[in-house]
Amino acid sequence: MAIMIPEKPRDFAPASQEGLIFDALALLSDDYYVFHSFRITDTRDGTFHESETDFVILNRTKGVICLEAKAGQVRYENGCWLYGNGIPMHNGGPFNQASANKYKLMRYISDGSMEFVLEKCKFFHAVWFPSVSKDRLKSMTLPSEGDKTLVLTKEALDGPEEFIDRIYALHLPSNIETRLSEMECDRLIREIFCPQFNVFPSASFEADLKKIVFHRLLDEQAGILDFLDEQLTAAVNGAAGTGKTMIAVEKARRHAIAGERVLFLCFNSQLKDYLEENYAKDLVDYYTIAGFACKMCNAVAPDYAKLKDRLEDYYISGSFPYKHVIIDEGQDFGSEAIEETDIIQLIHDIIVDAYQGGTFYVFYDRLQLVQAREMPKFIGDLDCRLTLYRNCRNTENIAITSLRPITENKPKVFEGAVKGAPAKIHFCESVQNEKERIDSIIDNLAADGYRDIVLLTCKTEKASILSDYVNKGKYRNKYLFTTCRKFKGLEADVVVLLDVDKTTFEQDNVLIFYVGTSRARIKLEIAAILSDDDCKEILTSTLNYQGKVRRAKKDFAGALNAIGTIGIQ
């Protein structure tokens, strides 16, 4: 039996008898391929072209035949091919149509990447009149474009192979002989006659859709912005992912549009660089608090005592160059040097006392207190304090995982939030095993179409297992590698959290885990070196696990709302 593609005939007009011919061609031996209703569509020089060949027959050792089928009564009168009802045939009749389709197919192959096939494969065209007998054909006088050798009659319906092979046996003026290898024949089928593909949303496409959802301004955030229009000073608290930086940036933008200068302070230099790169705006100056001290004092290192003197001069003269001050990551401004000089409170006083309509806003997360021991005093002194509750950065599963070690409260997500895939915890047996696992994770993510991938260590860069493999902050010269502390305030589609071990979940370090995991928007992968005993201890001491520990690693992953894996995935 021939290989029929498709396995059943496509839709056809009953009068054409293509179903009968399809069944007959199926009787060919299994080294024949038969393609029914083969269409070629292309545009050339702005003109749309379309053709359809009733059947294309392919044999690796014999060649290709483009076959037109014409059933019922057919006439040729006054130089015109006519159907039995007298209607003229399109394309100049069956022979011209079959010949034209043959050359279109050859051109289609030539335009692709298989032009070499034309030099090692015969191409023919033929016409099948299933209603005409062999004897009747002998008595017919065909027009000049028709050759009876290229005609199949109703006798071929019982077994077409000998009639087909008679055509294949013809010689061509070019002396081409068919000599396609099995690989070449398979490629011809796969790329020309029957290409196969599967259209599915890539991971990157899904990530783009999720980011569109995340970046919508929630009612809660819009309400905060509207409220701040009437409030000159405020401290806005919110867990990771609740949109604090988004609101802060939008508030700065609105002031700049109104023609008023804004000082935007944060703690991390990477966050400052990101804000400058993505939200640059005339009249908005982004600084770290250290960078601002250097700028104000014209120094290469921050001297907060000198900054205090400079700010006092501004207070007296009323010449501070900014009308609005916005502080992001406010919880990190509690270092001793900053607190002792009281410079943030002084900036607040300058704004409130010197500028009518001047504003001072602080955005902070008490759960991300990793750069200082205590919350800065100036935050508690502000009269107005607001709280954001709904997570709009992370998928619901990532938000749950990030909060599990530090609170029993479930994250509040907005209606229609993306559920997302659970985080994966990859349990590694050794440092070398973790390095191999990280490479495997990255390769799989890249193959899935993810591009925005960041590697975060729960330790320092020098203490990380990747310390010897990082060049200028990049792993494999491509992927950003940094600490959870330094990446605080930023986010990425995918976070690979590494150097996770027993110490990660100790009281002094567990907030680092929260900071790192909450940076992931779409996907979270965690590489950990944890024994069964380590998992048991963390379950009882940190995660308040109440059940009986049966399979320590699996129970540990489950307690973190994650999937545990062992071995290269």
Side-chain angles (χ1 to χ4, degrees), residues 15 44 67 91 143 220 236 258 324 529 564:
R44 290 178 180 272
L67 178 65
N91 305 309
E220 181 180 272
V236 181
H324 306 280
I529 298 180

Side-chain angles (χ1 to χ4, degrees), residues 84-224:
N85 56 10
I87 297 176
M89 293 183 184
H90 297 293
N91 305 309
F95 289 96
N96 283 336
Q97 183 175 357
S99 177
N101 287 344
K102 174 186 67 178
Y103 287 113
K104 287 178 182 177
L105 173 59
M106 294 172 70
R107 187 175 65 186
Y108 182 66
I109 293 172
S110 177
D111 288 345
S113 58
M114 299 195 67
E115 186 175 5
F116 66 88
V117 168
L118 304 182
E119 300 177 356
K120 54 194 314 183
C121 180
K122 290 181 176 180
F123 284 81
F124 297 99
H125 67 275
V127 176
W128 195 337
F129 294 123
S131 303
V132 176
S133 67
K134 181 171 59 175
D135 291 339
R136 179 73 180 91
L137 177 64
K138 288 180 181 180
S139 65
M140 294 169 59
T141 301
L142 297 178
S144 57
E145 76 271 12
D147 189 303
K148 294 178 182 179
T149 308
L150 302 178
V151 176
L152 281 73
T153 58
K154 68 177 183 180
E155 285 80 8
L157 292 173
D158 291 332
E161 191 156 339
E162 65 173 291
F163 300 91
I164 296 293
D165 286 350
R166 183 186 65 200
I167 297 173
Y168 277 135
L170 297 173
H171 295 287
L172 295 175
S174 59
N175 293 320
I176 290 176
E177 295 295 334
T178 302
R179 55 184 190 281
L180 294 175
S181 67
E182 289 186 15
M183 184 178 297
E184 290 168 338
C185 183
D186 289 343
R187 185 180 168 193
L188 187 62
I189 294 168
R190 185 176 63 253
E191 296 184 18
I192 301 297
F193 291 113
C194 189
Q196 297 184 22
F197 60 90
N198 183 10
V199 177
F200 62 94
S202 67
S204 58
F205 173 73
E206 291 183 352
D208 289 340
L209 290 181
K210 290 172 181 176
K211 279 186 279 189
I212 290 171
V213 174
F214 291 148
H215 288 174
R216 291 181 307 190
L217 199 62
L218 303 184
D219 290 340
E220 181 180 272
Q221 298 167 334
I224 292 287

Side-chain angles (χ1 to χ4, degrees), residues 235 330-331 345 362 364 375-383 385:
Q331 74 281 351
Q345 185 63 46
V362 180
Y364 69 102
M375 289 293 294
K377 182 176 180 294
F378 72 89
I379 292 178
D381 290 342
L382 289 172
D383 293 334
R385 288 192 292 277

